[in-house]
């Protein structure tokens, strides 16, 4: 029996955590002939029974992510009999002797250096990503854009790079009826994502403020706002000057998020940089029209089912928001096209493609 170790320390995170929670159970189910050693918080991994399989061993592993300590701990804790190891992020085990598979989600640390505080963080990212190119036996990128960015910034030729798109959670794709009353009592425009510099919230805030006197809608910002840096604090301070018209919900559960999508006039996603970008697809799955930045991976992911704008042009965004609010026909067209587009991205497809990569990695016929 072939064996594969997996670093699942980020199981409960957003972002990569979503990737792990959706892919790992599916991959394990599709490869009963492989023994999986899944490393992380064994208690959290066992909850819900998604990984409760005869071919799965859960191993407690809590070393902090990034840095020298995790490299030492990985070298010490990894079973020597493993045939391969899958890292869902670029912090892969440098000293592992078996086959190595690494997933690269984005190249933000190198592409947007101005938003990454601390030379040591940028240096670490560059060194590790360079080692990924040199040492990994296979690399999965979550979009063609990320694959191109990897080749652009690392500049180390690698023959086995695969594009495997993320999926949309079936929870959002399932037909749903909005609650009789929405999660809030006012009409609103929605943003979903963390309050981080590359998310480009200032452009959205400026566009919204310029429209406040013409529309009854509030702006609802859904996502984590703790742990931000100085520039993010400026965003919050700016928003605080407009009373209750700009609302930050903080993190919310998936059911509440779905209701926000279902009742929103639109989702606006102004990000400067995304390796993939799940919120626009989640919104589309719920029938919520999307206005998205024309940057990075977003045109690849959203296709012809979104309205695009220059992320550096608040006035252009304001115009597009106003036009869509006043055009019910176009909203209906976007709702239909969006649902169809979201349906093209499933975690089952992602898992099937990932399984193909693992089989090739481990020489399973």
């Amino acid at each position: 029996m072939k064996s594969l170790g997996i670093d699942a320390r980020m199981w409960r995170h957003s972002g990569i955590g979503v990737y792990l929670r959706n892919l790992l159970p599916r991959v394990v189910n599709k490869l009963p002939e492989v023994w999986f050693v899944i490393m992380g918080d064994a208690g959290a991994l066992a909850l819900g029974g998604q990984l409760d399989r005869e071919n799965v061993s859960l191993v407690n592993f809590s070393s902090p992510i990034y840095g020298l300590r995790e490299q030492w701990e990985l070298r010490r804790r990894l079973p020597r009999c493993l045939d391969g190891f899958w890292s869902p992020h670029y912090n892969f085990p440098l000293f592992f002797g078996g086959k190595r598979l690494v997933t690269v989600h984005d190249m933000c640390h190198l592409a947007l250096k101005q938003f990454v505080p601390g030379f040591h963080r940028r240096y670490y990212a560059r060194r590790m990503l360079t080692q990924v190119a040199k040492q990994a036996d296979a690399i999965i990128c979550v979009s063609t854009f990320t694959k191109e960015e990897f080749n652009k910034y690392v500049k180390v030729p690698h023959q086995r790079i695969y594009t495997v798109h993320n999926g949309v959670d079936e929870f959002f794709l399932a037909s749903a009826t909005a609650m009789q009353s929405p999660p809030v009592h006012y009409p609103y425009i929605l943003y979903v994502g963390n309050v981080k510099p590359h998310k480009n919230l200032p452009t959205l805030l400026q566009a919204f403020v310029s429209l406040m006197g013409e529309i009854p809608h509030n702006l609802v910002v859904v996502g984590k706002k703790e742990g931000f840096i100085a520039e993010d604090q400026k965003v919050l301070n700016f928003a605080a000057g407009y009373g209750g018209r700009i609302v930050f919900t903080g993190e919310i559960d998936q059911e509440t998020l779905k209701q926000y999508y279902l009742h929103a006039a639109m989702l606006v996603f102004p990000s400067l940089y995304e390796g993939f970008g799940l919120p626009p697809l989640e919104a589309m799955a719920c029938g919520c029209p999307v206005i998205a930045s024309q940057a990075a991976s977003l045109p690849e992911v959203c296709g012809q089912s979104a309205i695009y704008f220059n992320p550096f042009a608040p006035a252009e965004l304001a115009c597009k928001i106003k036009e869509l609010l006043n055009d019910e026909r176009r909203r209906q067209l976007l709702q239909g096209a969006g649902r169809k587009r979201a349906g093209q991205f499933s975690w089952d497809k992602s898992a099937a493609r990932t399984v193909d990569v693992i089989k090739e990695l481990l020489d399973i016929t």
Side-chain angles (χ1 to χ4, degrees):
M1 175 180 275
K2 296 286 188 177
S3 55
L4 183 71
I6 303 175
D7 183 353
R9 284 174 293 166
M10 300 178 78
W11 178 262
R12 291 191 289 188
H13 291 208
S14 60
I16 294 174
V18 173
Y19 178 82
L20 287 170
R21 292 191 298 272
N22 281 281
L23 269 191
L24 259 58
R26 290 174 167 86
V27 168
V28 166
N29 287 339
K30 290 176 180 292
L31 287 172
E33 70 272 32
V34 175
W35 173 46
F36 290 92
V37 177
I38 303 180
M39 306 177 69
D41 182 338
L45 292 168
L47 286 176
Q50 291 177 293
L51 300 173
D52 185 14
R53 300 290 184 272
E54 291 184 357
N55 62 325
V56 172
S57 296
L58 302 179
V59 176
N60 268 313
F61 183 59
S62 58
S63 178
I65 296 167
Y66 309 126
L68 295 176
R69 179 179 169 185
E70 72 173 345
Q71 292 297 329
W72 169 254
E73 290 291 327
L74 282 167
R75 185 175 185 179
R76 188 174 67 88
R77 299 288 301 278
L78 281 175
R80 296 190 178 185
C81 60
L82 288 178
D83 296 299
F85 192 85
W86 175 19
S87 298
H89 197 26
Y90 63 74
N91 56 327
F92 75 117
L94 293 169
F95 305 107
F96 176 66
K99 298 290 186 68
R100 284 171 288 190
L101 168 63
V102 179
T103 299
V104 177
H105 296 270
D106 63 57
M107 298 292 289
C108 189
H109 280 72
L110 304 186
L112 296 179
K113 294 185 289 185
Q114 68 272 30
F115 294 145
V116 182
F119 171 78
H120 64 289
R121 291 188 176 92
R122 298 190 295 272
Y123 177 80
Y124 174 83
R126 180 172 293 280
R127 286 301 299 270
M128 288 300 295
L129 285 162
T130 300
Q131 291 306 310
V132 167
K134 289 180 176 179
Q135 296 188 32
D137 297 278
I139 300 169
I140 288 175
C141 292
V142 299
S143 63
T144 299
F145 170 78
T146 293
K147 179 179 177 179
E148 292 171 349
E149 289 284 278
F150 183 85
N151 289 327
K152 173 182 175 181
Y153 286 101
V154 175
K155 295 183 174 65
V156 177
H158 198 289
Q159 300 301 314
R160 299 175 72 182
I161 304 182
Y162 307 88
T163 297
V164 181
H165 285 133
N166 291 335
V168 180
D169 196 309
E170 293 174 357
F171 173 79
F172 295 107
L173 288 165
S175 58
T177 302
M179 296 184 299
Q180 290 186 349
S181 58
V184 291
H185 62 276
Y186 44 76
Y188 60 91
I189 294 163
L190 185 64
Y191 165 83
V192 176
N194 291 332
V195 180
K196 294 293 181 183
H198 72 279
K199 297 297 186 179
N200 196 30
L201 265 178
T203 291
L204 173 54
L205 293 178
Q206 291 174 48
F208 176 74
V209 168
S210 73
L211 292 172
M212 279 176 49
E214 305 176 53
I215 62 175
H217 300 72
N218 288 349
L219 174 64
V220 174
V221 177
V222 173
K224 183 179 180 181
K225 61 179 182 177
E226 294 79 15
F228 42 77
I229 59 176
E231 291 302 313
D232 306 311
Q233 183 63 60
K234 290 180 182 178
V235 169
L236 299 178
N237 292 341
F238 176 87
Y242 293 93
R245 296 295 301 274
I246 302 174
V247 180
F248 289 84
T249 69
E251 291 184 283
I252 58 177
D253 61 67
Q254 199 174 48
E255 176 59 47
T256 305
L257 175 59
K258 185 172 184 176
Q259 291 302 323
Y260 270 107
Y261 283 137
L262 288 168
H263 288 280
M266 67 187 72
L267 173 84
V268 180
F269 202 68
S271 183
L272 296 174
Y273 199 91
E274 296 290 327
F276 185 78
L278 274 174
L281 283 181
E282 292 173 349
M284 289 179 183
C286 294
C288 177
V290 172
I291 297 180
S293 159
Q294 62 192 23
S297 63
L298 295 175
E300 175 186 346
V301 171
C302 297
Q304 301 299 311
S305 302
I307 295 172
Y308 296 102
F309 70 97
N310 179 346
F312 300 102
E316 179 187 335
L317 174 56
C319 182
K320 300 248 172 132
I321 291 173
K322 187 176 179 180
E323 287 176 354
L324 186 56
L325 287 175
N326 293 325
D327 191 341
E328 183 60 29
R329 169 69 174 162
R330 193 172 190 190
R331 283 173 42 78
Q332 291 175 356
L333 289 173
L334 285 172
Q335 287 173 332
R339 288 192 184 98
K340 184 176 180 180
R341 180 67 177 176
Q344 296 174 15
F345 295 85
S346 77
W347 286 111
D348 284 337
K349 289 181 181 178
S350 300
R353 183 72 180 111
T354 302
V355 163
D356 288 341
V357 174
I358 292 172
K359 283 184 174 180
E360 185 174 344
L361 179 80
L362 300 180
D363 296 320
I364 298 174
T365 57

